[in-house]
Amino acid sequence: MTLLVHTRPDLARARSGLTGRVGLVPTMGALHDGHRANIRRAKEVADSTVVTVFVNPLQFGPGEDLDRYPRSLDADLAVCEEEEVDLVFAPVEAELYPGGRHGLTTVHAGSGGEILEGACRPGFFTGVLTVVAKLFHLVRPDLACFGEKDFQQLAMVRRMVRDLDFGIEIVPVETVREPDGLALSSRNTYLSETERAAALAIPHAIRAAQDSPEPLAAAEKVLASEPGLTIDYTVLCGPDLGEPPESGPARLLIAARAGTTRLIDNAPVRIGEPDA
Ligand code: PAF
C-alpha cells in the first residue's frame, strides 16, 4: 500500500517509519515507463522506496511549458501503487518554497551547468539542483535513481552530491524507448503525428552514430535530412561530460525541437574503429 503525503510534517513522520536503505525517485509526475524503470531500479537496490511528484517551477524559463506541463497525480499514484512504492511525497509549491521564489537561496551549478542544456535554458540547472538538494534534505534517502535520458542532469546531480558532500549514492538508469526508438518523455504527449514522425530522426541518428567510427558526422547527416526538426545541439563528450577522447568510448548528446516541443536524447558511442 502506497502512502501519499503532501506536507513536510507528514513526510517526516512517514519517513521515520521506513526501514533499511531508502531509495528516492524524484519526478515531475506524468509517470511513464521510464519512471517505472527508475522505480524498479530503486526497489532492486533499496529496501524502501520514495517517489516525489513536483512540477518544479524553478527549472522552467519564461515562455517554457510550466503551465501546460502534464499533471496527473491520480494516475501517478496508481503507477506507484502498481510498482509497490512505499511513500509518495507530492507537495504544493508553497510547501516546498515557503519563503516564495523571490530572493530564494539556490544551488549554483558549476561550469557544467553553463553548457548544452544550461546554455539553451539559462537557470535550468540552478532550478534542478536546488529542488533536488531540498528533496534530498527532506527525504534523507540513502540512494537516488536518475534516468540516463537526462544525461547532463545525472552528471550535474552526481557532481553536486560530491562537491557538497551529500553522502547519497546516485544510481543511473538506462533510457527506456518506444518500440520505434523514441526515448520516453512526458513531453512526447505534446507531439502531433507529423512532429512525432520527425522526432524519430533522433533515435535514427543515434543508431547511425553507434554504427559509425565517426559518430558525430553520422548523426549530423541523419538529423540534417529531417526538415521537421530544429537542432539545438549535437555534440560528443566524454562519459563525465568532459572533452571527448580522440578515440574510444564517448557519449553523443542531441537536443532538438519538433514544433514547439523540445526533445533531448543521448547514447554511448565509440570514436574510431573498435580495437581488433
Ligand atoms: O528529471 C526530472 O523530472 C526533474 O528534473 C527532477 C529531477 C524531478 C527535478 O525536478
Side-chain angles (χ1 to χ4, degrees):
M1 173 82 188
T2 303
L3 180 64
L4 170 67
V5 296
H6 296 286
T7 66
R8 291 161 182 258
D10 286 350
L11 172 65
R13 246 188 311 277
R15 168 65 181 87
S16 63
L18 296 178
T19 52
R21 270 165 64 81
V22 173
L24 169 65
V25 180
T27 81
M28 297 209 297
L31 302 187
H32 50 63
D33 285 355
H35 298 108
R36 281 188 197 260
N38 292 0
I39 294 171
R40 286 176 190 173
R41 186 77 189 116
K43 288 187 68 72
E44 275 166 16
V45 290
D47 303 294
S48 306
T49 307
V50 181
V51 170
T52 59
V53 176
F54 179 65
V55 182
N56 174 34
L58 231 56
Q59 67 191 74
F60 289 78
E64 288 190 357
D65 55 348
L66 175 62
D67 292 337
R68 70 167 182 156
Y69 198 85
R71 289 161 172 86
S72 53
L73 187 57
D74 289 347
D76 293 343
L77 201 57
V79 169
C80 290
E81 290 274 8
E82 270 175 38
E83 298 298 332
E84 300 181 355
V85 168
D86 297 290
L87 178 60
V88 172
F89 176 46
V92 294
E93 184 180 337
E95 189 69 27
L96 217 52
Y97 300 118
R101 276 187 248 165
H102 183 69
L104 187 72
T105 303
T106 55
V107 177
H108 173 71
S111 53
E114 284 157 25
I115 57 170
L116 304 172
E117 285 307 284
C120 296
R121 306 174 68 187
F124 173 67
F125 284 113
T126 294
V128 169
L129 295 184
T130 300
V131 81
V132 169
K134 286 171 71 68
L135 294 171
F136 283 174
H137 288 310
L138 291 168
V139 176
R140 293 182 292 107
D142 297 286
L143 60 95
C145 293
F146 288 84
E148 287 185 343
K149 153 104 178 12
D150 298 298
F151 192 74
Q152 190 179 6
Q153 169 172 281
L154 170 64
M156 298 299 301
V157 170
R158 273 199 168 122
R159 184 71 201 254
M160 174 184 79
V161 163
R162 197 177 82 197
D163 289 349
L164 302 184
D165 301 306
F166 274 88
I168 293 170
E169 184 190 346
I170 302 303
V171 179
V173 183
E174 221 177 280
T175 302
V176 180
R177 297 181 180 278
E178 300 280 6
D180 59 12
L182 190 67
L184 293 193
S185 161
S186 306
R187 292 192 164 100
N188 290 354
T189 56
Y190 303 154
L191 296 170
S192 70
E193 219 172 294
T194 331
E195 288 165 350
R196 199 184 176 294
L200 282 183
I202 299 173
H204 292 166
I206 286 178
R207 271 204 295 277
Q210 287 179 321
D211 287 344
S212 170
E214 292 181 43
L216 186 60
E220 283 174 339
K221 187 168 167 208
V222 174
L223 293 170
S225 68
E226 176 46 74
L229 278 186
T230 308
I231 308 302
D232 280 347
Y233 57 79
T234 315
V235 295
L236 276 185
C237 66
D240 57 354
L241 277 193
E243 286 298 310
E246 287 207 349
S247 65
R251 198 94 192 174
L252 174 76
L253 291 94
I254 298 173
R257 280 164 288 137
T260 55
T261 304
R262 196 156 179 287
L263 300 165
I264 58 172
D265 203 346
N266 69 88
V269 293
R270 180 173 184 90
I271 303 171
E273 300 292 348
D275 298 334

